[in-house]
Each structure stands twice: as C-alpha cells, then as structure tokens.
Amino acid sequence: MKIRFYNSLTNQEEDFVPLEPGKVSMYSCGPTVYDFAHIGNFRSFLFGDLLRRFLELAGNEVHHVMNITDVGHMVEGEADKMMEAANRVKANKKSGRVPEGAIQDPNDPYQIAEYYTQAFLQDARRLGYKVAYEYPQNVPRATDHVEGVDGMIGMIQKLLDRGHAYIAEDGVVYYSVESFPEYGQLSGNSIEKIKSNAGGRVSDENQSRKKHPGDFMLWKPDQNHIMKWDSPWGVGYPGWHIECSVMARKLLGRDVIDIHTGGEDLIFPHHECEIAQSCGTTGQDRFARFWIHARFLFVENEKMSKSLGNFYTARDVFEGKVKVADDKTGSPVEMGKKVHPAVLRFELIKSHYRMNMNFTVKGLIDSAQTIDRMVEFRKSLEEKTDGESADVDLSHPVLDAFALALADDLNISGALGVMLPWIKGDHPDPNLSLAVFKKMNSVLSVAPINEGISGAAEEVESESEAAELEQAQQWANQMDAARKDKDWPTSDAYRDKIHAAGFEVQQTPEGSKIKRRLGV
RNA sequence: GGCGUCGUAGCCAAGUGGCUAAGGCAGCGGAUUGCAAAUCCGCCAUCGUGGGUUCGACUCCCACCGACGCCUCCA
C-alpha cells in the first residue's frame, strides 16, 4: 500500500516509507502540565494517535513517544507557567475544582506537575490515546531528562563543543542560528528574515546580548527559578526546545526519526529549534523525515479562548459543561448532559487533520449518533457470533478501500465514507463482518474506545451508574405493564421519566429495552 | 509585509479533466407504531467570483474576493 502524507518540511505530499521497513519511529509533542488539557490539545494528540493506529493497521510496528513538559519556562513579561499554575491551584482548591488533598503543597512545582500529569493521562486514556497507556516508558517527563551526558545538559555541551552554541555575557547559553544555515527551512523563514524581528515581541535589552536575534536559549542560569538544576553554566533551567530533541533521540534510539507531529503553532519556533539542535548535535541533515502538523480547533466558529467563555478542557466536555444557547433567553448555559469519551474522541478525529475543525454542539450530537450506530452494529454482530470473529486482512475489499483512503494523507472522511454505508448494508457472514469492523475500529477506536490496547481496563459502570440503570429498567418494566393494559398515559409518563434520566427506551419483541444515551 | 492552508448542499465533508459530484447529520414524504423512538424505503447540490487553457473544468493556469494559521506564550 502506498502511503502518502503531507510533509510540512517540503510543503507537499510525499510517499511515506519508514527508514527501517515495517518499523516506524514517531514523536509527538505532548502537553505542558500546568493545567488540565483542553480539547484543542486533544485534537492534536488524537490526530497523532489516529496516525499511529493507521500505520499499525498498515502492518507497521510503531514506536511512539510523547513527552510531558513539566518544566516551567519563563516567558518574557509573563509569569512562569508553573508559578502561574501554583497560583491557580491555590484558587481552585478553594473552589473545589482541584480536590482537597490532591496537591499537598501548591508551592511545590513537582506536585503540581504530577497532579496535572496524572489528570492528563487519565483524560488521554479515557479518550483511547494509545501512548498514554504506555506511560511511563514511552511518555517521558522533561524533568527526568535534564541531567547526564544523554540528557539536556549533555546535548547543550555537545552543541557548545560543536560550535552551535555560545555563552552570552549574562551567562545564558544560546543556540547560534547562524551556525545552522538550514534554520528556517521548516517554517519558510530565513535567518535574514528573522533578523528583522517581524514579530517584535522580544525586548531590545534581551536581543542585544545575542549574536543574532533568532538565537534561542538553551540554558538559563537562575538561582531563583522555581525548578532548577546544577550545570556547567550555573544553577538554572533548560530552554523549552531542548527537551524534545533530547527525549526523541534518547527514547526512540535514533538520530533520524520517521515522523514528528504536533500542533501547527509549534512549527515556529519550537520545531524549527528542535531541528537545529538535533541536527547540530548529530551532524545529520535531517531530524525527522516527516513533519506532520494538525491545524487548530475552533469552538462554534470562534477561536477558543478563556475570555470568550468557550474554552473547554476534555473533562469539561465529559461533564456536560459545554455551553449552548438557552432556548428562551438565548444566553449561553451549560448543556448539562454528560458526553461519552468515545463521542468526544470521534468528534475530534472525524475531520481531516489539515483542516481547521469546528467544535460544535451539533457536531457532538452527530458524533453521538454515529457512535451509537457503530456500537449497536457491533453488538448485533457479537450476538450472532458469540464474539467469534474470522481472520481477515487488508485484502478484504471493504478494508482495502478503508485503508486506501487513510493511506492518502489520512483521509478520514473518505474512510468513513467507506465504513458507514458498509455498516448499513447486508452482512451475510457476521463472523467476517465482525472481523472487518474490529480492524476498522483498531484505527478509530470508538466502539469500544480501547480497541487494541492490551491491559486497558474494561469500562466499569460505577455503583451509582448501575443503580441508575436498574431504576430505568424498572420503569421500562412498568411501562410494559401499562402498555399491556393499554394505559397509554401511564406508559408515556414512564417513557418521559426514562428519557429525563438520560436513557433511551426501545420497543422490542422481548419488551422495552433500556440503553444509556451516549450524551448530548 | 513574508510564508502557508483553505473556500463543494441548512450543517460536517469526500472526490474527479468528460458516464448518476461519496458518505453522515438535519429536513421532507412513506412503511412501521396506541403516539413516539429505533428501523426500513424514497427525495434533497452544478462545486467563492471573474477570466484563460481545452472538443469539454467543479477538477489545470491566472487574477480577485473571503476565511484561517505562523512570523520567538500557545496543540
């Protein structure tokens, strides 16, 4: 199968063939753990997951690594991220958003990072993000890779030795972009253009110490920083970009990796700097052979931002905190209905990664509908087959068409255009159909959400959820009794109750059946 | 200003130099139903604008309009 991806490095689609046949090395930029991850983060992460799962479907063994950025980096004119988080945690503890006792000491950045790391992993796992199940071996934390010759300090030293870095008069270690003529290739910049400092966000005072305005920090000596390590250049902390160069090389075990993913905003400066550092260290002309970037997510056609009130974390969505216009007043109110993780996952992966996706309540409703259909389909096949599926490979025409669509720059719409009508069609051989469905679901991972993840816990209903189900089923039984007596008003009353409790009721020859709504 | 991505029905969205422009949602009509839900059947677009190339373009080229991103916080 010919696989093609759009490579940001060359701005064109290219044939993808891993360096080592059948084995793909892939690195994704992960979250900075100073707050709960939002749906925009997950759009980018889940795109990486989809990519990885597709490559696996295509017969590759994928070594996927994603970092956790738990170092607070100073931003000029702004508070350090971890400091910011500390202040927020203190406020949130009062409001109950961060549970009492979750973080003993909000002034300890390691505790804050740990808390948000665990929260992230939990969200990611609920969303079927495969690499999150491989923590910690494939999900390294930046703070674990600062020291040592194969750590950030080692790489910075190597860059100094090789003449790609220098120590400025204020003791800060900078990367010298002029030592790396390819700097700017990824983002379409050139060292000349960067010199003009078009963005104008960096103060003159800071610029004056650098040899070139584009030079970026590798190590900053700072005794007062909230997180600090000893180094040959004094006690301080590393620059933001160096961690990815180090961890990609260290964990993937190679100087040139196949794929590097991230959000489009990371192209410049983050990924540009990673390339400069990695190539500067290894002497190779490439760091990642393919750079694949996901576009931004919008919410109801607007950029997601806290000030617009449309900023949602994954858990906000799970908990039904997405806002909808109130029927009467038109002002935004929380929709109040829980959203199943599979629905959110599907919503975030169902549009092409290189298109801006627009997150909407209507989209969630659509997704819930689609997932529901898939779940029902699978259930009916499993009932017919006792869960026994046949063996199937990509030579099956439906799977072939499905995979072929994805092989074309991850054309998910095309793939769904194969899958959904197929589900609707006839299935004379349920064992075979089940096998086909499972293969498709190993990529989509929505019905159920943990397809192909060994050791992933089955979704367990909590006690209160089980009680709700029990209650709803009792109403359904009473509904049946009323229907038997043709007592329609009573029957309808029970149906309303069932709906209000978040369930669907279906009339079947064996009586009314209860099904939990997926949400929305 | 520079570098990119994109513009297909009410919404999401695939695709092709020429047969009927996928698929999903919503909507409409029908079957079914006590009424609904679910299900099933059917209906529902000429592809941002203006030029050009061509026997023929929505698909190729040019211009314009519009949306969005990046140009040292950001997935």
Side-chain angles (χ1 to χ4, degrees):
Chain A
M1 181 171 24
K2 194 184 202 182
I3 297 175
R4 290 175 69 77
F5 295 130
Y6 185 91
N7 191 350
S8 307
L9 192 62
T10 54
N11 282 327
Q12 60 186 12
E13 262 188 32
E14 292 176 2
D15 289 347
F16 175 77
V17 180
L19 215 49
E20 194 179 329
K23 288 191 177 179
V24 178
S25 52
M26 171 171 162
Y27 186 91
S28 298
C29 281
T32 302
V33 283
Y34 67 113
D35 199 354
F36 298 113
H38 57 70
I39 54 178
N41 298 129
F42 277 113
R43 140 89 151 166
S44 155
F45 301 149
L46 291 178
F47 140 70
D49 189 59
L50 189 73
L51 178 62
R52 180 238 179 114
R53 286 169 176 274
F54 162 67
L55 288 166
E56 287 173 343
L57 178 77
N60 296 284
E61 189 185 307
V62 180
H63 190 179
H64 186 196
V65 169
M66 181 196 63
N67 65 291
I68 299 268
T69 298
D70 57 354
V71 181
H73 297 285
M74 288 293 269
V75 178
E76 217 173 311
E78 286 175 43
D80 180 277
K81 290 249 181 79
M82 284 299 159
M83 290 284 258
E84 211 178 277
N87 293 330
R88 202 175 41 241
V89 164
K90 283 178 215 164
N92 282 346
K93 274 198 138 182
K94 282 181 197 147
S95 71
R97 199 163 171 232
V98 170
E100 205 59 49
I103 300 173
Q104 298 286 330
D105 177 9
N107 290 317
D108 178 354
Y110 287 92
Q111 286 187 28
I112 289 171
E114 179 62 18
Y115 174 74
Y116 285 115
T117 298
Q118 293 307 326
F120 167 73
L121 290 170
Q122 190 184 22
D123 291 344
R125 286 174 183 152
R126 290 183 77 189
L127 287 166
Y129 191 19
K130 212 166 182 177
V131 78
Y133 283 89
E134 296 164 352
Y135 175 85
Q137 71 264 31
N138 289 330
V139 185
R141 296 186 239 213
T143 52
D144 289 334
H145 299 276
V146 177
E147 291 163 314
V149 277
D150 58 351
M152 299 183 217
I153 289 173
M155 188 175 277
I156 295 168
Q157 187 60 56
K158 189 134 195 204
L159 288 169
L160 281 162
D161 295 345
R162 291 174 62 95
H164 284 294
Y166 61 93
I167 302 168
E169 59 188 54
D170 54 359
V172 176
V173 184
Y174 286 108
Y175 189 97
S176 168
V177 295
E178 285 162 311
S179 74
F180 186 68
E182 292 79 17
Y183 190 79
Q185 196 198 342
L186 177 67
S187 57
N189 276 312
S190 68
I191 294 173
E192 265 315 298
K193 282 184 202 151
I194 290 164
K195 201 161 200 164
S196 62
N197 191 22
R201 292 194 209 163
V202 179
S203 76
D204 293 343
E205 189 201 342
N206 224 321
Q207 288 295 18
S208 64
R209 299 202 185 92
K210 298 192 211 169
K211 289 185 185 167
H212 180 103
D215 292 351
F216 56 91
M217 190 185 101
L218 296 171
W219 188 268
K220 179 161 180 146
D222 182 355
Q223 287 283 355
N224 300 317
H225 191 253
I226 188 164
M227 285 175 157
K228 57 193 171 194
W229 293 263
D230 199 9
S231 86
W233 319 285
V235 173
Y237 64 99
W240 171 37
H241 316 299
I242 193 77
E243 63 180 62
C244 289
S245 287
V246 166
M247 291 187 280
R249 187 172 183 224
K250 199 164 155 184
L251 275 90
L252 292 170
R254 47 202 318 167
D255 287 349
V256 183
I257 64 173
D258 287 310
I259 298 175
H260 194 127
T261 72
E264 58 173 333
D265 55 321
L266 294 181
I267 293 172
F268 193 90
H270 186 53
H271 289 163
E272 197 71 75
C273 295
E274 281 187 43
I275 291 172
Q277 293 163 340
S278 293
C279 294
T281 301
T282 64
Q284 301 276 354
D285 62 348
R286 286 262 170 120
F287 168 33
R289 298 168 59 236
F290 275 74
W291 288 86
I292 310 182
H293 293 98
R295 302 228 27 195
F296 261 56
L297 167 142
F298 282 68
V299 173
E300 304 286 357
N301 286 312
E302 290 187 289
K303 195 165 178 175
M304 183 165 73
S305 75
K306 285 180 180 165
S307 59
L308 284 171
N310 62 359
F311 183 94
Y312 303 121
T313 64
R315 44 190 67 197
D316 286 340
V317 177
F318 297 152
E319 289 161 14
K321 290 185 179 161
V322 176
K323 296 196 181 75
V324 291
D326 185 81
D327 287 343
K328 286 167 195 154
T329 65
S331 54
V333 290
E334 289 183 3
M335 67 180 190
K337 288 177 186 158
K338 289 188 178 179
V339 174
H340 188 102
V343 172
L344 179 57
R345 177 183 168 94
F346 189 70
E347 176 66 11
L348 294 176
I349 64 173
K350 76 178 180 188
S351 47
H352 189 86
Y353 73 94
R354 225 147 34 74
M355 301 272 263
N356 278 138
M357 84 149 282
N358 190 19
F359 179 87
T360 61
V361 170
K362 188 174 186 307
L364 277 179
I365 295 169
D366 284 5
S367 291
Q369 195 107 217
T370 305
I371 299 302
D372 194 51
R373 181 167 294 179
M374 290 184 193
V375 169
E376 290 298 315
F377 175 67
R378 180 169 187 148
K379 209 195 280 175
S380 78
L381 290 178
E382 284 178 338
E383 278 166 10
K384 284 179 201 151
T385 60
D386 287 327
E388 292 291 318
S389 57
D391 279 331
V392 69
D393 60 28
L394 294 186
S395 64
H396 183 101
V398 174
L399 271 179
D400 180 57
F402 180 82
L404 225 51
L406 292 174
D408 178 14
D409 197 28
L410 223 56
N411 182 352
I412 182 78
S413 300
L416 291 172
V418 171
M419 182 185 194
L420 296 172
W422 171 76
I423 288 179
K424 244 184 173 171
D426 292 330
H427 296 275
D429 184 348
N431 294 280
L432 183 63
S433 292
L434 182 58
V436 170
F437 182 82
K438 279 185 178 173
K439 284 272 187 200
M440 290 173 169
N441 195 232
S442 72
V443 180
L444 301 177
S445 204
V446 287
I449 203 159
N450 289 331
E451 190 85 64
I453 298 174
S454 59
E458 288 292 312
E459 266 181 75
V460 194
E461 298 227 326
S462 70
E463 260 179 56
S464 61
E465 282 172 338
E468 282 173 14
L469 190 70
E470 175 70 17
Q471 173 62 262
Q473 186 58 54
Q474 272 181 27
W475 285 331
N477 295 343
Q478 280 165 298
M479 191 177 162
D480 281 343
R483 282 167 54 80
K484 216 171 178 181
D485 298 339
K486 297 200 192 302
D487 181 357
W488 310 128
T490 305
S491 168
D492 290 349
Y494 279 117
R495 182 160 60 204
D496 289 344
K497 275 187 161 187
I498 292 166
H499 283 172
F503 293 86
E504 292 290 345
V505 56
Q506 286 182 6
Q507 306 301 331
T508 73
E510 301 90 57
S512 298
K513 278 192 180 167
I514 285 304
K515 191 177 75 183
R516 189 183 290 280
R517 275 205 204 116
L518 284 169
V520 196

